[in-house]
Amino acid sequence: MRVGVLTGGGDCPGLNAVIRAIVRKGVQEYGYEFTGFRDGWRGPLEGIAVPLGIPAVRGILPRGGTILGSSRTNPFTADNGVRRIKENLAKFEIDALIAIGGEDTLGVAARLVDEHGVRCVGVPKTIDNDLSATDYTFGFDTAVGIATEAIDRLHTTAESHMRVLVVEVMGRHAGWIALHSGLAGGANVILIPEQRFDLDQVCAWVHSRFKATYAPIVVVAEGAMPKDGDMVLKDGTLDSYGHVRLSGVGEWLAKEIERRTGKEARTTVLGHVQRGGTPSAFDRWLATRFGLHAIDAVRDGDWGRMVALRGTDIVRVPISEATARLKTVDPALYAEVGVFFG
């Protein structure tokens, strides 16, 4: 059997660990051969592929990013996209395909399986941790660790100058990174997309912190919105999946806090720093287990399924279930951490 592998969407710590596990187990235990498709769905769409054997995956476990490259290519918006993919899979003699990605990449995989009979298995990847069918996605733990370290460092400069420091983290529709890093980093305000925020309340929390002779740290997810406003956009352009580019809410929030409170405010946007660099031990562990179980799903012919973490077990779920809705922060969980605001 020859198996194709691709990584789509945003890069993520742990992608290489998945690739390594798939190839190592697939070659050593099942005698499979592997082809790596370059740059997400653009690879099978345009026929861009590389051989993928054990020598190619040596030493990649601790590396961030992906040796196969990635993109946000959507074959369903391309001319004859499905036909071209099927032709290229046949050209490279691919018997099965493993797609590693988030909501959009796996959404394409689900449609290819359900509507066009492509033999595909999914592996969940996103630093946002917002896929509903799995308890955790790899990349999330690394992103939270990076954001927490940044918040730790910003406390000292905030208190040295007695400024408000606003830290903008990733999170388009789900505030998991903001919630986890904000709580772990001792933030005084955490703002997430699931709960529209009251700017007057935010300013009251800022004043409260200064009264205690400490400088406040405000952590805000890029998709957070005020009660009386809209999402702040970087620009109006859309990617091939129809997503707008976010970023800017941190800068807007700092200006509003400064204008309303008279306290000096500065913004730090972590951006792609959260995606890069060495994956954490947990992300290497989870990604490796996902890879091992993904190749088992290929062996079993369990097409249209995605590996997922439930408790400490790796299970298989329909890809369509994983992409049907996003996993967002429960209001009760957000209320639980509210004791630390202000």
Side-chain angles (χ1 to χ4, degrees):
M1 177 176 281
R2 182 177 293 278
V3 181
V5 181
L6 64 83
T7 54
D11 64 299
C12 176
L15 283 168
N16 287 325
V18 181
I19 297 168
R20 171 180 174 268
I22 289 170
V23 173
R24 286 285 298 273
K25 187 169 187 178
V27 171
Q28 292 174 194
E29 295 200 10
Y30 304 138
Y32 294 166
E33 296 180 346
F34 291 88
T35 295
F37 286 104
R38 293 287 309 174
D39 304 332
W41 287 112
R42 189 166 77 90
L45 182 67
E46 300 182 9
I48 308 169
V50 294
L52 197 58
I54 287 181
V57 300
R58 286 198 180 107
I60 68 172
L61 177 64
R63 286 175 55 182
T66 164
I67 62 169
L68 294 178
S70 191
S71 74
R72 298 190 185 277
T73 301
N74 182 355
F76 287 101
T77 63
D79 292 337
N80 300 310
V82 174
R83 177 180 62 79
R84 290 160 61 188
I85 283 179
K86 295 181 81 169
E87 288 177 351
N88 283 318
L89 292 179
K91 172 186 172 182
F92 289 101
E93 301 180 333
I94 302 299
D95 300 299
L97 186 63
I98 299 177
I100 310 166
E103 175 193 10
D104 296 324
T105 301
L106 294 179
V108 170
R111 288 188 61 184
L112 288 174
V113 173
D114 296 340
E115 300 173 16
H116 304 283
V118 176
R119 305 205 299 180
C120 192
V121 167
V123 176
K125 169 244 55 165
T126 168
I127 67 169
D128 292 334
N129 198 41
D130 59 1
L131 286 175
S132 60
T134 183
D135 289 350
Y136 285 97
T137 53
F138 66 87
F140 172 67
D141 186 70
T142 302
V144 168
I146 291 168
T148 301
E149 182 181 356
I151 294 166
D152 287 345
R153 292 175 181 274
L154 290 169
H155 272 293
T156 58
T157 190
E159 291 171 8
S160 295
H161 295 275
M162 292 305 289
R163 290 173 176 159
V164 183
L165 281 184
V166 178
V167 185
E168 182 184 306
V169 300
M170 285 185 169
R172 177 180 293 271
H173 300 298
W176 294 108
I177 294 176
L179 186 71
H180 281 238
S181 65
L183 182 62
N188 312 109
V189 182
I190 302 170
L191 306 176
I192 61 175
E194 294 88 340
Q195 301 284 330
R196 284 182 174 260
F197 60 87
D198 184 332
L199 198 50
D200 289 334
Q201 179 62 73
V202 172
C203 291
W205 284 327
V206 167
H207 274 302
S208 173
R209 184 66 173 174
F210 277 116
K211 285 180 181 178
T213 68
Y214 289 100
I217 298 285
V218 178
V219 174
V220 58
E222 61 186 352
M225 293 179 284
K227 284 184 176 179
D228 56 353
D230 298 318
M231 187 178 290
V232 179
L233 307 179
K234 196 173 188 67
D235 56 49
T237 58
L238 303 178
D239 65 17
S240 62
Y241 291 96
H243 301 313
V244 293
R245 294 177 65 195
L246 300 186
S247 187
V249 66
E251 192 67 35
W252 174 85
L253 185 61
K255 289 178 181 178
E256 285 296 314
I257 291 173
E258 187 167 301
R259 183 176 67 84
R260 293 176 181 230
T261 67
K263 301 294 186 181
E264 193 175 10
R266 295 288 186 271
T267 306
T268 297
V269 180
L270 296 184
H272 289 86
V273 170
Q274 295 157 92
R275 292 189 179 279
T278 301
S280 67
F282 177 81
D283 281 339
R284 299 183 204 190
W285 173 86
L286 180 58
T288 297
R289 293 192 70 202
F290 276 166
L292 296 174
H293 284 261
I295 198 61
D296 285 348
V298 169
R299 176 203 58 189
D300 296 340
D302 207 359
W303 315 123
R305 309 281 281 186
M306 182 194 86
V307 294
L309 180 69
R310 298 282 176 85
T312 58
D313 296 327
I314 305 295
V315 300
R316 299 176 194 168
V317 298
I319 299 176
S320 55
E321 175 186 325
T323 57
R325 64 181 179 86
L326 291 178
K327 179 178 67 181
T328 54
V329 175
D330 188 289
L333 181 58
Y334 183 67
E336 184 177 289
V337 305
V339 67
F340 297 106
F341 295 177

